[in-house]
């Protein structure tokens, strides 16, 4: 009985060690949909799947963990070939919000659409005011009361849209125009881009052509530059993790940055970064189940240049090496403990066999 118990305990322990090691593998979701070219990514906690927009189709699609793609919203009443860019899920109101922009040579068009997550019914379509020919409705965030915030990447201001779909300009701060722009960069036209709502009443917004991050009051639009230990290169998507860490992705810099602040984002620190590689043009980052971080590789750059041939895209989990150091130490400790237990078990078994031999002899 003791021998069987020891073997069972050892098997259980080794199984746990293997399970822990396997849990360290990063999750990669490859999915296929012809001509989709998704720029925006969101996580639907109720449906337990990702949502992606499209540069070419007037659709929002669900992508499962296994890479199965299903069109959940189709809105053919939108202007032809309008792009669905930024997405945000509002789980309290059971909605998904989509920033809409028509690219040249189509007439200028910028709007925010809200759809019921389950029925796909459109709840409102709000034209965004004071949008000139340079306006680009780019990304969207939502607060706990259902207010949405949309960045204008072409003219450097932020719209606010309430629960009823009423829209106005929240912030056109001079802070957004203080920093020089290098006109030689391919992204010099793109100003305010990724946006995230922080629970205590303000927004964090990245500015692609300057590499700056701004803290913006969600009520009066007052803005200030967040002092970071380094400028970012073409920051695009922004996401907030449950522990307060902010994630920023760059399609041009091919980076994912991990930021934190100890003073409510007056100042911040880039404490880690990941090289994302050259394939797929990463534009969006989201926080999924159990605070796992995912990046969308939607090849939007190809789509903007007119490509029609791509049908494969991917969503890939990313993890901070520095944050994982503590997890790795614990794993090594567990493996060491398992080996020590195994050696002790073998010693005990050896002693038992010797004692049994003495009794028999």
């Amino acid at each position: 009985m003791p021998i069987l118990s020891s073997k069972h305990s050892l098997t259980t322990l080794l199984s746990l060690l293997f399970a822990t090691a396997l849990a360290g593998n990063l999750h990669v979701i490859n999915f296929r949909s012809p001509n989709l070219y998704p720029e925006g990514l969101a996580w639907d906690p109720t449906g337990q799947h990702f949502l992606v927009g499209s540069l070419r189709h007037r659709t929002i699609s669900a992508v499962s963990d296994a890479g199965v793609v299903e069109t959940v919203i189709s809105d053919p009443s939108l202007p032809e070939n309008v792009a669905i860019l930024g997405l945000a899920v509002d789980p309290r109101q059971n909605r998904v919000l989509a920033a809409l922009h028509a690219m040249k040579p189509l007439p200028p068009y910028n709007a925010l659409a809200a759809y019921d997550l389950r029925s796909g019914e459109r709840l409102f379509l709000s034209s965004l005011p004071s949008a000139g020919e340079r306006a680009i409705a780019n990304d969207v965030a939502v607060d706990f009361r259902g207010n949405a915030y949309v960045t204008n990447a072409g003219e450097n201001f932020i719209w606010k849209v309430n629960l009823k779909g009423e829209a106005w300009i929240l912030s056109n701060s001079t802070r957004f125009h203080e920093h020089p722009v290098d006109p030689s960069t391919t992204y010099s036209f793109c100003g305010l881009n990724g946006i995230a709502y922080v629970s205590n009443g303000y927004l964090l917004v990245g500015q692609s052509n300057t590499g700056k991050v701004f803290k913006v009051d969600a009520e009066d639009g007052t803005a200030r530059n967040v002092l970071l230990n380094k400028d970012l290169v073409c920051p695009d998507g922004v996401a907030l993790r449950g522990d307060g860490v902010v994630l920023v992705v760059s399609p041009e810099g091919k980076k994912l940055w991990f930021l934190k602040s100890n003073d409510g984002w007056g100042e911040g620190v880039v404490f880690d970064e990941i090289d994302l590689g050259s394939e797929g043009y990463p534009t969006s980052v989201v926080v999924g189940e159990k605070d796992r971080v995912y990046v969308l590789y939607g090849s939007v750059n190809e789509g903007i240049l007119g490509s029609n041939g791509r049908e494969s895209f991917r969503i890939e989990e990313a993890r901070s090496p520095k944050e994982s150091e503590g997890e790795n130490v614990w794993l090594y400790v567990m493996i060491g403990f398992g080996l020590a237990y195994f050696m002790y078990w073998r010693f005990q078994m050896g002693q038992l066999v010797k004692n049994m031999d003495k009794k028999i002899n």
Side-chain angles (χ1 to χ4, degrees):
M1 189 67 180
I3 295 176
L4 292 174
S5 178
S6 297
K7 287 183 178 179
H8 177 73
S9 299
L10 179 62
T11 302
T12 302
L13 178 59
L14 291 176
S15 298
L16 287 172
L17 290 174
F18 283 128
T20 303
L22 289 172
N25 295 336
L26 296 177
H27 187 199
V28 179
I29 303 169
N30 294 297
F31 62 100
R32 303 177 72 86
S33 184
N35 261 344
L36 192 69
Y37 295 104
E39 197 274 347
L41 175 69
W43 169 252
D44 178 3
T46 304
Q48 290 289 294
H49 52 221
F50 297 95
L51 296 175
V52 294
S54 176
L55 202 66
R56 298 287 176 76
H57 307 312
R58 291 165 287 183
T59 61
I60 297 174
S61 302
V63 181
S64 73
D65 281 349
V68 177
V69 181
E70 178 186 1
T71 299
V72 292
I73 293 166
S74 178
D75 193 346
S77 68
L78 295 175
E80 186 178 359
N81 294 328
V82 72
I84 296 179
L85 299 180
L87 295 175
V89 169
D90 181 2
R92 289 171 178 78
Q93 305 295 330
N94 199 40
R95 306 178 302 164
V96 59
L97 300 158
L100 310 176
H101 173 66
M103 299 180 182
K104 292 181 178 180
L106 297 175
Y109 183 83
N110 293 277
L112 181 72
Y115 300 94
D116 185 275
L117 267 173
R118 300 298 158 249
S119 68
E121 176 189 358
R122 191 171 74 192
L123 304 175
F124 66 72
L125 177 64
S126 297
S127 179
L128 298 172
S130 302
E133 291 190 1
R134 293 181 62 247
I136 304 172
N138 193 316
D139 201 4
V140 57
V142 63
D143 66 21
F144 299 125
R145 293 177 293 177
N147 297 303
Y149 306 87
V150 184
T151 53
N152 183 337
E155 296 179 331
N156 274 314
F157 62 77
I158 301 170
W159 290 286
K160 186 172 182 176
V161 184
N162 66 18
L163 196 57
K164 299 177 181 179
E166 299 166 334
W168 66 95
I169 295 175
L170 169 70
S171 183
N172 194 7
S173 173
T174 57
R175 297 284 186 184
F176 302 146
H177 306 275
E178 288 181 343
H179 304 284
V181 174
D182 182 355
S184 67
T185 61
T186 57
Y187 49 90
S188 61
F189 71 95
C190 187
L192 299 182
N193 197 333
I195 185 169
Y197 177 79
V198 182
S199 60
N200 43 357
Y202 56 87
L203 309 158
L204 290 176
V205 188
Q207 190 173 48
S208 293
N209 53 13
T210 66
K212 303 298 182 181
V213 175
F214 296 94
K215 176 182 177 179
V216 181
D217 190 286
E219 292 298 325
D220 62 18
T222 303
R224 60 169 296 174
N225 181 30
V226 178
L227 300 177
L228 296 176
N229 57 330
K230 63 186 296 184
D231 281 342
L232 310 181
V233 178
C234 189
D236 194 330
V238 178
L240 178 69
R241 210 167 61 183
D243 60 359
V245 169
V246 168
L247 301 312
V248 183
V249 69
S250 169
E252 296 289 340
K254 311 296 184 185
K255 299 280 188 182
L256 176 66
W257 293 285
F258 292 74
L259 286 65
K260 60 183 177 182
S261 174
N262 294 322
D263 68 350
W265 294 101
E267 298 181 6
V269 174
V270 180
F271 70 87
D272 204 358
E273 64 180 47
I274 296 174
D275 291 321
L276 297 177
S278 57
E279 289 282 332
Y281 206 72
T283 54
S284 295
V285 57
V286 298
V287 178
E289 189 178 16
K290 297 180 180 178
D291 265 355
R292 296 170 73 174
V293 177
Y294 291 88
V295 174
L296 170 67
Y297 296 80
S299 299
V300 172
N301 54 334
E302 296 178 15
I304 291 174
L305 293 175
S307 173
N308 291 308
R310 180 175 289 277
E311 61 179 51
S312 60
F313 310 94
R314 77 183 189 276
I315 298 167
E316 189 168 318
E317 185 184 2
R319 196 173 299 159
S320 162
K322 290 186 178 179
E323 290 182 320
S324 299
E325 286 173 359
E327 296 177 8
N328 291 337
V329 168
W330 174 245
L331 179 59
Y332 297 146
V333 169
M334 289 294 292
I335 291 174
F337 175 76
L339 291 173
Y341 184 88
F342 177 67
M343 297 303 294
Y344 175 74
W345 177 78
R346 288 194 62 182
F347 173 76
Q348 290 291 93
M349 291 303 100
Q351 291 296 107
L352 179 61
V353 170
K354 286 180 181 181
N355 292 334
M356 290 177 68
D357 286 343
K358 288 179 181 179
K359 289 181 179 180
I360 293 172
N361 295 328

